[in-house]
Amino acid sequence: MRLTAITFLALAFAMPAHAQAESAPVTPTSVVAEAAPEEWVSIAPEDLLVMELAPDAEGKARRVVIQLIPPPFSQPWVENIRTLARAHWWDGTSVNRVQDNYVTQWGDVTEEKPLPEGVVAPVTSYTQTIDMGGDPVLAGALTDAFEAVTETRYYWSTGNLDQFPRGDSYADVTVHAYGWTLATSYDTDQIWPIHCYGYVGVGRGYAPDTGTGAELYTIIGQPQRHMDRNLAVVGRIIDGMQYLSSLPRGSGELGFYTEEEAHLRTPIVSVRLASELETPPSYEYLDTRSESFARYVTVRANRNDAFYTVPAGGVDICSVQVPVRPATS
Amino acid sequence: MRLTAITFLALAFAMPAHAQAESAPVTPTSVVAEAAPEEWVSIAPEDLLVMELAPDAEGKARRVVIQLIPPPFSQPWVENIRTLARAHWWDGTSVNRVQDNYVTQWGDVTEEKPLPEGVVAPVTSYTQTIDMGGDPVLAGALTDAFEAVTETRYYWSTGNLDQFPRGDSYADVTVHAYGWTLATSYDTDQIWPIHCYGYVGVGRGYAPDTGTGAELYTIIGQPQRHMDRNLAVVGRIIDGMQYLSSLPRGSGELGFYTEEEAHLRTPIVSVRLASELETPPSYEYLDTRSESFARYVTVRANRNDAFYTVPAGGVDICSVQVPVRPATS
């Protein structure tokens, strides 16, 4: 399939400032708070990874919860990660790298710990073939995106710049689907998950090595999205992100802790699938097809309340973090 | 002046992958390392603010260096900041707010410390009128941007999508000038500095309060660029950023430390202009008009080396951090 149009996230949600001023000021937080219960989607326990770091200097527990990305994305690595968690492979490993404005990375510092049987680096692509017929959720999201770009092209071709496109710097088309942030381009039938703050990816060596999933990182600064399509995005941190983002930066190459800084490596006590825990935590995300989510994006792109007086008229897809919260039922 | 065209940072630097593969792989770091000495510009000592935080738990010094933004941008606040520094006003204040994926903020936690004479919140705009005739540096940068958009519009109007625009999500036009990241729009004669990782802005109350500059913040995650044009950008951290980004997050509203967390507030020992120090530190930045800077942007937008095999073909303006280093002469 050749996509015949390109689009921009912000355009679909552009709204003149005067249209907002007539109603009561709303914020992204207030929109999410008012979402209906049926607009929230439960996250399955086998899609939740619970990582217990060693307590901090004051003895406080540090629990990090990762939501794994659903099919059709990055599944060979996600399966490896479930195998590693079931084997308790990460227990006793550590956080070994913290590079400012880039990533925090964890795994086996010795690089010699044997992997469970069957865990090998997949020989596969970081992108996924779009199935417009067999995947109605994705097809719906992409159709909306195509409509927006058709309008955009019309305005441009007629020289009318009263309404004009803002864009994503890294991809022709960005969409939210399945509660995730995805990107595609006009001349391919491939779609891929992108790197945003708190997203989790698979560390690896030089290409074509794709990594196994034993070595993981999360984005702790401005997402460097040239990583998209070059590394496997396998999940995102939905709780406890601050325990990984506030660690002391390593002074070695690429932010690895040097041998003199070995005491700064944060021990990982355990990593478990929530489905293996006796009292599993439980989370839900705001359905990205819901009316509240659309409203949330609009408000994010057009902040206009007592604090913000100049609405941007657009928003970076990574600044539209999909709302996730502990399950209420 | 009404700007008649819009542009996209990435387009001007788009380069097909095969064009790069023929030469030896280069990285952003290697391009900067090879820049000629005359491509570097010294930063004046009165544009450098040196903040000494209390030593860390291991007794190590924590020095943070801020480069103040040059004219014509945000100068009423910058002047206030120089006055506050000369009055040693920040000595004995503290870092009071650390909100994950947002900002670290410092100033007087009591909000009652008297300000030096003359330091009041400016009644002015966060944007600056473009002076194409009197400001050749800015005029040059904008002219290049307009050329790129003219080409873009031609491709769009003819339905030719072999080369097509990527964009910025928040502004029609983004440019580097004077070593800074700026934005403008097609229908205004205003230009403004934007919020990127490590950039420093002025805290304030509800609009139309613009803040004095006594309360400052820096961006420690994905830049939330809806702040652009709503808050004053006055500088950026060019050394010691890790001391502000790795602080424990506050659990109070907006990431402020609660009273129970008062011990987490990092004391500020002193803040001085480098021009007031006996042995001032000295820095230089890569001229954003230089050939090496243009090459640096191109390589950032088209990573294609032993690690990255799928070049993005574009880059976010905030991921094109202007290289700054300790002065070499």
Side-chain angles (χ1 to χ4, degrees):
Chain A
M1 185 189 69
R2 183 181 161 97
L3 308 187
T4 55
I6 74 174
T7 194
F8 299 90
L9 174 71
L11 181 72
F13 304 103
M15 180 189 281
H18 61 79
Q20 285 231 326
E22 288 167 20
S23 54
V26 290
T27 65
T29 305
S30 75
V31 170
V32 173
E34 289 161 16
E38 60 271 22
E39 292 181 307
W40 293 87
V41 182
S42 293
I43 300 172
E46 56 269 32
D47 287 344
L48 291 174
L49 212 55
V50 180
M51 174 160 70
E52 303 285 356
L53 302 175
D56 70 11
E58 298 182 1
K60 279 197 202 152
R62 290 186 282 186
R63 170 178 277 197
V64 176
V65 181
I66 299 167
Q67 178 189 7
L68 297 171
I69 200 165
F73 307 106
S74 306
Q75 291 303 294
W77 296 276
V78 169
E79 269 313 312
N80 277 354
I81 288 167
R82 289 200 185 97
T83 302
L84 288 156
R86 288 193 191 104
H88 301 183
W89 188 84
W90 281 289
D91 299 15
T93 64
S94 53
V95 178
N96 306 313
R97 175 190 184 191
V98 188
Q99 185 171 4
D100 197 56
N101 193 20
Y102 199 38
V103 295
T104 288
Q105 187 171 323
W106 61 95
D108 170 37
V109 71
T110 71
E111 299 188 41
E112 291 180 355
K113 188 168 181 173
L115 294 169
E117 202 180 311
V119 173
V120 292
V123 181
T124 184
S125 169
Y126 300 114
T127 69
Q128 186 65 34
T129 303
I130 295 169
D131 178 8
M132 290 292 268
D135 193 334
V137 173
L138 199 54
L142 286 171
T143 301
D144 289 348
F146 297 167
E147 277 176 21
V149 80
T150 302
E151 191 180 354
T152 301
R153 285 185 70 195
Y154 173 76
Y155 274 100
W156 274 67
S157 67
T158 57
N160 183 339
L161 294 180
D162 286 350
Q163 195 177 11
F164 63 94
R166 299 286 177 79
D168 183 81
S169 302
Y170 296 90
D172 308 340
V173 185
T174 57
V175 287
H176 285 92
Y178 298 107
W180 289 79
T181 45
L182 309 169
T184 181
S185 61
Y186 79 95
D187 61 351
T188 177
D189 61 353
Q190 299 294 301
I191 192 162
W192 56 89
I194 67 173
H195 286 82
C196 294
Y197 187 89
Y199 277 47
V200 175
V202 174
R204 63 165 172 82
Y206 287 111
D209 175 21
T210 65
T212 60
E215 189 80 16
L216 295 172
Y217 62 82
T218 188
I219 306 294
I220 61 165
Q222 163 98 27
Q224 302 302 320
R225 286 192 39 215
H226 63 270
M227 297 162 79
D228 297 352
R229 290 184 288 174
N230 284 289
L231 291 135
V233 174
V234 290
R236 65 182 166 213
I237 292 175
I238 58 172
D239 217 343
M241 179 61 190
Q242 68 273 24
Y243 303 126
L244 295 174
S245 59
S246 67
L247 295 173
R249 279 47 180 159
S251 69
E253 207 181 347
L254 302 176
F256 280 95
Y257 293 122
T258 62
E259 281 313 309
E260 292 71 41
E261 295 168 332
H263 62 289
L264 295 178
R265 291 179 192 134
T266 304
I268 296 172
V269 176
S270 67
V271 176
R272 298 286 182 276
L273 286 168
S275 50
E276 289 193 293
L277 294 175
E278 264 187 52
T279 53
S282 160
Y283 294 86
E284 55 195 11
Y285 68 89
L286 186 59
D287 191 339
T288 44
R289 292 170 300 177
S290 69
E291 281 182 30
S292 290
F293 186 80
R295 196 154 168 250
Y296 166 75
V297 178
T298 302
V299 173
R300 272 238 172 279
N302 297 280
R303 290 298 294 265
N304 188 18
D305 49 48
F307 194 84
Y308 295 100
T309 55
V310 183
V315 62
D316 188 281
I317 186 164
C318 280
S319 284
V320 186
Q321 297 258 24
V322 176
V324 178
R325 66 182 186 188
T328 50
S329 58
Chain B
M1 184 189 70
R2 182 181 160 95
L3 307 187
T4 55
I6 74 174
T7 194
F8 300 91
L9 174 71
L11 181 73
F13 305 102
M15 179 188 284
H18 61 80
Q20 284 231 326
E22 288 167 19
S23 54
V26 290
T27 65
T29 306
S30 76
V31 170
V32 173
E34 288 161 16
E38 61 270 22
E39 292 182 308
W40 293 87
V41 182
S42 291
I43 301 173
E46 56 268 34
D47 287 344
L48 291 175
L49 212 55
V50 179
M51 174 161 69
E52 303 284 355
L53 302 175
D56 69 12
E58 298 182 1
K60 279 196 202 154
R62 290 186 282 186
R63 170 178 278 196
V64 176
V65 181
I66 299 167
Q67 178 189 6
L68 297 171
I69 200 165
F73 307 105
S74 305
Q75 291 303 294
W77 296 275
V78 169
E79 270 312 312
N80 277 353
I81 288 167
R82 289 200 185 96
T83 302
L84 288 157
R86 288 193 191 103
H88 300 182
W89 188 85
W90 281 289
D91 298 15
T93 65
S94 54
V95 178
N96 306 313
R97 174 190 185 191
V98 188
Q99 185 172 4
D100 197 57
N101 193 21
Y102 200 37
V103 295
T104 288
Q105 188 170 322
W106 60 96
D108 169 37
V109 72
T110 71
E111 298 187 41
E112 291 179 354
K113 188 169 182 173
L115 294 169
E117 202 180 309
V119 173
V120 293
V123 181
T124 184
S125 170
Y126 301 112
T127 68
Q128 186 66 36
T129 303
I130 296 170
D131 178 7
M132 290 292 269
D135 193 334
V137 173
L138 199 53
L142 286 171
T143 301
D144 289 348
F146 297 167
E147 277 177 23
V149 79
T150 302
E151 190 180 354
T152 301
R153 286 184 70 196
Y154 173 78
Y155 274 100
W156 275 68
S157 67
T158 58
N160 184 338
L161 294 180
D162 286 349
Q163 194 178 10
F164 63 95
R166 299 287 177 78
D168 183 81
S169 303
Y170 297 89
D172 309 339
V173 185
T174 57
V175 287
H176 285 91
Y178 298 108
W180 289 80
T181 45
L182 309 169
T184 182
S185 61
Y186 78 95
D187 61 351
T188 177
D189 61 353
Q190 299 294 301
I191 192 161
W192 55 90
I194 67 173
H195 286 82
C196 293
Y197 186 90
Y199 277 46
V200 175
V202 174
R204 63 166 171 82
Y206 287 110
D209 175 22
T210 66
T212 61
E215 190 78 18
L216 295 172
Y217 61 82
T218 188
I219 307 295
I220 62 166
Q222 164 97 26
Q224 302 302 321
R225 286 192 39 213
H226 63 269
M227 298 161 79
D228 297 352
R229 289 185 288 174
N230 283 289
L231 291 136
V233 175
V234 291
R236 64 182 166 212
I237 293 175
I238 58 171
D239 217 343
M241 178 61 190
Q242 69 273 25
Y243 304 126
L244 295 173
S245 59
S246 67
L247 295 173
R249 279 49 180 157
S251 69
E253 206 181 348
L254 303 176
F256 281 95
Y257 293 122
T258 62
E259 281 313 310
E260 292 71 42
E261 295 168 329
H263 62 289
L264 295 179
R265 290 179 194 136
T266 304
I268 296 172
V269 176
S270 66
V271 175
R272 297 286 181 277
L273 287 167
S275 49
E276 289 193 293
L277 294 176
E278 264 187 52
T279 53
S282 162
Y283 294 85
E284 55 194 12
Y285 68 88
L286 186 59
D287 191 339
T288 43
R289 292 171 300 176
S290 68
E291 280 183 32
S292 289
F293 186 80
R295 196 153 169 251
Y296 166 74
V297 178
T298 302
V299 172
R300 271 237 170 281
N302 297 279
R303 290 298 295 265
N304 188 19
D305 49 48
F307 193 83
Y308 294 100
T309 56
V310 183
V315 62
D316 189 281
I317 187 164
C318 280
S319 284
V320 185
Q321 297 257 23
V322 177
V324 179
R325 67 182 186 187
T328 50
S329 57

